[in-house]
Amino acid sequence: DTEVTQTPKHLVMGMTNKKSLKCEQHMGHRAMYWYKQKAKKPPELMFVYSYEKLSINESVPSRFSPECPNSSLLNLHLHALQPEDSALYLCASSQGFGGTYGYTFGSGTRLTVV
Amino acid sequence: AQSVTQPDIHITVSEGASLELRCNYSYGATPYLFWYVQSPGQGLQLLLKYFSGDTLVQGIKGFEAEFKRSQSSFNLRKPSVHWSDAAEYFCAVGPAGTASKLTFGTGTRLQVTL
């Protein structure tokens, strides 16, 4: 299995909703990442987990809450989002902390906040 | 701080023609350099990467890139473009030793005419 699987593929949520994005990989990668990508823009790093511990938080607002329950799973919990948070959320993993071998990206979750 | 510049926002080539996408980076030491491709609504796929050694790097799908330290460039090339190569291409740079914080360029959209 050489994939990163993200669910759901599309999500529409209201500003008062609570939802979660899920990311799963079974490649034995020990680093996992959340990126946010706005239309026609490059991906922006949000969080990095290394060996299931949060290593990097790029000053992301607290309405985004990451969680890494085990080495294969990465969640992003969403609460009280704003319309400007609408974007493609990409999960990625890498063999080690640092992406020396490059990242494997999932197909993303297209989030729309209404 | 590291940065990446992709001077061409949009490039159009004819199928069968050669392709070169430009990437210039700014970083104090030898960085890790990557090229990713993204089809519409999809995640990013790693085309190739450079860390050290041979400055001409071969990647997947017939792509290659050349690292030129003197020009701080890492241009992507393909001798003969196929219609399926139409996509967004991102150059990325990460600190040597750890590429955990990749910085992406703004991307180049490739259009292929038949």
Side-chain angles (χ1 to χ4, degrees), chain A residues 19-37:
Chain A
K19 296 287 184 183
S20 296
L21 309 185
K22 180 180 174 181
C23 173
E24 192 167 5
Q25 57 88 13
H26 296 286
M27 296 176 281
H29 289 177
R30 302 313 300 266
M32 297 184 76
Y33 310 78
W34 280 115
Y35 278 84
K36 174 183 178 180
Q37 187 179 25

Side-chain angles (χ1 to χ4, degrees), chain A residues 30-100:
Chain A
R30 302 313 300 266
M32 297 184 76
Y33 310 78
W34 280 115
Y35 278 84
K36 174 183 178 180
Q37 187 179 25
K38 302 283 278 185
K40 301 187 187 302
K41 297 291 186 183
E44 297 177 354
L45 181 66
M46 300 175 71
F47 302 104
V48 180
Y49 272 83
S50 177
Y51 290 87
E52 298 140 58
K53 288 185 169 45
L54 183 63
S55 298
I56 296 175
N57 177 341
E58 289 288 279
S59 302
V60 178
S62 60
R63 57 185 184 269
F64 295 91
S65 176
E67 179 196 21
C68 190
N70 58 57
S71 60
S72 300
L73 279 176
L74 185 66
N75 298 321
L76 186 63
H77 303 298
L78 314 172
H79 173 55
L81 294 193
Q82 303 297 310
E84 58 264 29
D85 295 321
S86 299
L88 180 68
Y89 287 84
L90 294 165
C91 175
S93 68
S94 63
Q95 194 164 334
F97 181 64
T100 304

Side-chain angles (χ1 to χ4, degrees), chain B residues 1 12 20 25 32 34 38 44-46 49 61 73 84-85 87 98 105 114:
Chain B
T12 300
E20 182 169 28
Y25 69 90
Y32 288 176
F34 304 83
Q38 185 177 33
L44 282 74
Q45 182 181 23
L46 178 66
K49 58 187 183 287
K61 303 186 178 187
S73 70
S84 60
D85 293 324
T98 169
L114 300 177

